[in-house]
Amino acid sequence: MRHLVTLDDLSNFEIEQIFRLASGMQSQLETWAGICRSKLLATLFYEPSTRTRLSFESAMERLNGGTLGFADPSATSVTKGETLADTARMVTNYADIIVMRHSWAGAARVMAQYTHIPVINGGDGSHTHPTQALTDLYTIIRRKSKVEGLTVGICGDLQFGRAAHSFALAVARFGGKLIHIAPNPLQMPPWVLAQLEQCHGQIPLEVENITEVIEKLDVIYVNRLQEERLPANMDAAAVRGSYLLNAEVMKNAKPDAMIMHPLPRVNELAYELDEDPRAAYFEQSANAVPVRMALIASLIGLEQLILTQPPKRHIRTSTTTCTNANCVTNYETYLVPECETFSGNMEFQTCAYCGNLLS
Ligand code: NCD
């Protein structure tokens, strides 16, 4: 059985297989319709969501499967103090696959540890959002045929934006060249930079303003400020409204550049760009359905055809507790800390739950 907690759970080959299936599903929906008949997807959304939850429900129902779940945890036993582990043990008996979103980094990993059905991470705190990254890559490949060799600028809240983290790591894995564009307090966190360098040999250029690099970019990936995740000691007023992509900025962009955004947008991406043929963000949200259909089918229906061996990882019990205040190990106290080792020219360890660097 396989899970998708972070993109490291899939090999590049498997991702390409999922994209081939997604593309087939997109062009011939009826052929695949019966694949999840009598299967159930549990959607456990402990955090707000529009696109992710609806596109997962749409994907499952287009495969003739059913869905059950919640979008408002206040109506569940969470309010009575039920742990993630117990919820996982219970949902195992009610569904065939789970997609979950939670505000704690590493929450989906806990669910995967305590259930006997595949778990898909629909976003965990400011950690990662692997299915968004799959949709993003798929959208780039559909427009530009490949990611390799493209210059990809990621702009906005790179510190707290989980979509930015998984997207950066995904682009690097497929050979894209990254530029990180953000005001200093919102730059990419050290754990993402360490993985980019160690696993993909990339040290991205970091700039504060998009106008410095706009003419170089093949892909411009904008993120909103993650207002709900800003720490109390951060000067929010200083970063609020500090970046904006609009028609004036896009005048200097390549004529075939792509504008992307995981959405929702707040005030960092001007509406005047919606008619620009370079805008790809609504296409991105539409592509979420075939990509999630292919992922669900791969994890529960076509596992032997699509998935091979999970990539090898070096995870073991850790003596160091995670210092990330948002890490699930600080809330679910029955968890045993685990760390992942990345070795090569510079060895480092991360919390296996939330990805934070351990010292
Ligand atoms: C993103 C998320 O929830 O992380 N949205 C999404 O799933 N498409 C991005 C965001 O909320 O900024």
Side-chain angles (χ1 to χ4, degrees):
M1 190 194 44
R2 300 280 299 274
H3 304 287
L4 178 59
V5 173
T6 78
L7 268 194
D8 290 343
D9 290 324
L10 294 173
S11 67
N12 283 15
F13 173 74
E14 289 174 327
I15 292 175
E16 284 162 359
Q17 290 278 82
I18 290 169
F19 289 170
R20 267 190 281 279
L21 180 59
S23 171
M25 287 173 157
Q26 200 160 11
S27 55
Q28 270 192 313
L29 215 54
E30 309 74 41
T31 314
W32 301 93
I35 233 165
C36 287
R37 189 166 293 129
S38 82
K39 301 283 188 195
L40 290 173
L41 167 74
T43 56
L44 313 183
F45 280 72
Y46 295 82
E47 232 197 14
S49 168
T50 306
R51 265 153 299 273
T52 303
R53 187 170 62 85
L54 293 183
S55 62
F56 264 107
E57 288 183 359
S58 168
M60 190 57 169
E61 297 198 14
R62 285 183 188 283
L63 296 168
N64 285 5
T67 60
L68 73 169
F70 56 81
D72 177 11
S74 67
T76 72
S77 288
V78 174
T79 51
K80 303 177 188 169
E82 183 159 68
T83 60
L84 286 172
D86 281 355
T87 306
R89 289 177 176 122
M90 188 222 15
V91 178
T92 289
N93 302 311
Y94 298 166
D96 302 288
I97 185 164
I98 294 172
V99 55
M100 75 170 287
R101 167 171 288 189
H102 203 288
S103 58
W104 297 336
R109 184 165 194 267
V110 179
M111 193 65 72
Q113 278 177 326
Y114 288 90
T115 191
H116 300 300
I117 56 178
V119 172
I120 300 172
N121 183 3
D124 59 332
S126 54
H127 180 212
T128 187
H129 194 352
T131 65
Q132 180 65 47
L134 290 179
T135 303
D136 300 338
L137 282 187
Y138 180 81
T139 305
I140 296 177
I141 292 168
R142 275 181 84 84
R143 275 216 185 186
K144 300 230 166 244
S145 75
K146 60 182 175 55
V147 177
E148 194 181 352
L150 298 181
T151 302
V152 178
I154 314 185
C155 170
D157 184 350
L158 313 186
Q159 178 67 231
F160 302 104
R162 57 192 170 205
H165 302 158
S166 34
F167 180 66
L169 292 165
V171 166
R173 263 173 74 162
F174 283 87
K177 185 168 170 282
L178 291 163
I179 300 184
H180 294 166
I181 307 149
N184 254 333
L186 299 181
Q187 266 296 351
M188 209 52 104
W191 71 269
V192 178
L193 296 177
Q195 280 197 42
L196 287 174
E197 186 174 355
Q198 177 62 43
C199 309
H200 312 293
Q202 277 222 32
I203 305 178
L205 173 68
E206 293 187 344
V207 299
E208 290 222 46
N209 202 313
I210 192 153
T211 52
E212 297 173 51
V213 290
I214 187 75
E215 68 285 347
K216 295 188 186 151
L217 305 178
D218 298 301
V219 176
I220 306 153
Y221 190 97
V222 187
N223 290 272
R224 75 181 169 95
L225 178 67
Q226 306 283 303
E227 189 79 49
E228 71 278 29
R229 301 191 209 285
L230 299 184
N233 61 2
M234 182 178 250
D235 183 1
V239 288
R240 228 171 256 143
S242 58
Y243 54 94
L244 169 68
L245 190 71
N246 60 16
E248 184 58 32
V249 177
M250 281 305 292
K251 274 188 192 156
N252 295 321
K254 290 186 180 178
D256 62 346
M258 281 176 76
I259 308 170
M260 299 180 72
H261 194 304
L263 302 175
R265 65 176 144 182
V266 186
N267 49 22
E268 65 289 333
L269 178 62
Y271 278 67
E272 65 200 16
L273 291 173
D274 293 357
E275 303 312 318
D276 188 316
R278 295 171 292 186
Y281 31 95
F282 295 122
E283 198 173 300
Q284 220 176 322
S285 59
N287 287 338
V289 175
V291 169
R292 286 168 174 153
M293 284 170 73
L295 179 66
I296 294 170
S298 304
L299 291 175
I300 60 174
L302 294 168
E303 194 177 350
Q304 295 80 355
L305 291 181
I306 302 292
L307 303 178
T308 54
Q309 279 298 310
K312 246 196 158 29
R313 302 177 56 184
H314 303 282
I315 297 179
R316 59 176 172 78
T317 307
S318 168
T319 45
T320 321
T321 47
C322 183
T323 54
N324 175 4
N326 187 238
C327 179
V328 69
T329 54
N330 291 312
Y331 296 94
E332 305 268 304
T333 47
Y334 53 88
L335 295 172
V336 178
E338 287 186 307
C339 64
E340 176 160 13
T341 303
F342 295 83
S343 45
N345 20 341
M346 51 168 220
E347 181 167 304
F348 64 89
Q349 288 177 344
T350 62
C351 168
Y353 289 91
C354 73
N356 195 36
L357 286 179
L358 300 174
S359 48

